[in-house]
Amino acid sequence: MRYVNLSIVLVFRLVSTKVHQRFPTFQSLVDARLMLPHEVQRLIHAEMKTPHESTWTPMLWALKLLERARSEGKITIEAPVWSGLISGFEYLEINNRKLLQHGWVNFPLAYTQVNQSA
């Protein structure tokens, strides 16, 4: 669950100044216990490898942990439940993408000051 929360916070850092002020650095995410110090290095490495943002990386980590736990027999999940779980992760990632896509569009200041009641 921490990885899912981390992914969402990474998205909000890119689209919200309030969240970016709350978590300006990776160290602030470590201090908030959303990341571990070794995960910062893994995320930095992932960011260097891609020209795009890497908010998807913690979701990938979560999915890999689930798959490893399932293959090692630590958890038993039936196929329909597993499919629903994977679909849930996909749903979260799709919504993260939507937030990022909408976050890139800057509205001119005049549009925010238009009176709708006229």
Side-chain angles (χ1 to χ4, degrees):
M1 205 58 204
R2 181 174 58 86
Y3 287 145
V4 173
N5 288 335
L6 174 60
S7 180
I8 293 168
V9 168
L10 290 173
V11 169
F12 278 116
R13 279 181 69 213
L14 294 173
V15 297
S16 169
T17 55
K18 293 275 188 190
V19 177
H20 195 276
Q21 288 171 354
R22 170 65 177 91
F23 301 108
T25 64
F26 288 138
Q27 184 58 45
S28 62
L29 292 168
V30 171
D31 294 342
R33 296 188 176 131
L34 287 169
M35 289 183 83
L36 299 175
H38 74 277
E39 293 167 347
V40 171
Q41 297 305 316
R42 290 172 60 194
L43 191 59
I44 290 170
H45 182 71
E47 284 184 346
M48 288 190 305
K49 294 236 176 210
T50 180
H52 307 290
E53 46 72 33
S54 60
T55 59
W56 51 268
T57 307
M59 289 285 208
L60 184 63
W61 296 342
L63 287 169
K64 284 184 176 185
L65 280 175
L66 280 171
E67 180 59 40
R68 185 172 9 144
R70 185 177 185 217
S71 67
E72 292 174 358
K74 292 180 180 176
I75 58 173
T76 54
I77 300 175
E78 298 299 322
V81 177
W82 179 256
S83 176
L85 185 62
I86 299 303
S87 294
F89 275 91
E90 289 174 1
Y91 177 76
L92 287 169
E93 184 57 28
I94 287 168
N95 285 313
N96 280 349
R97 296 281 132 233
K98 286 180 184 178
L99 277 172
L100 286 170
Q101 289 170 356
H102 291 295
W104 293 114
V105 178
N106 291 322
F107 289 99
L109 184 59
Y111 287 156
T112 62
Q113 297 174 349
V114 173
N115 186 354
Q116 295 289 328
S117 63

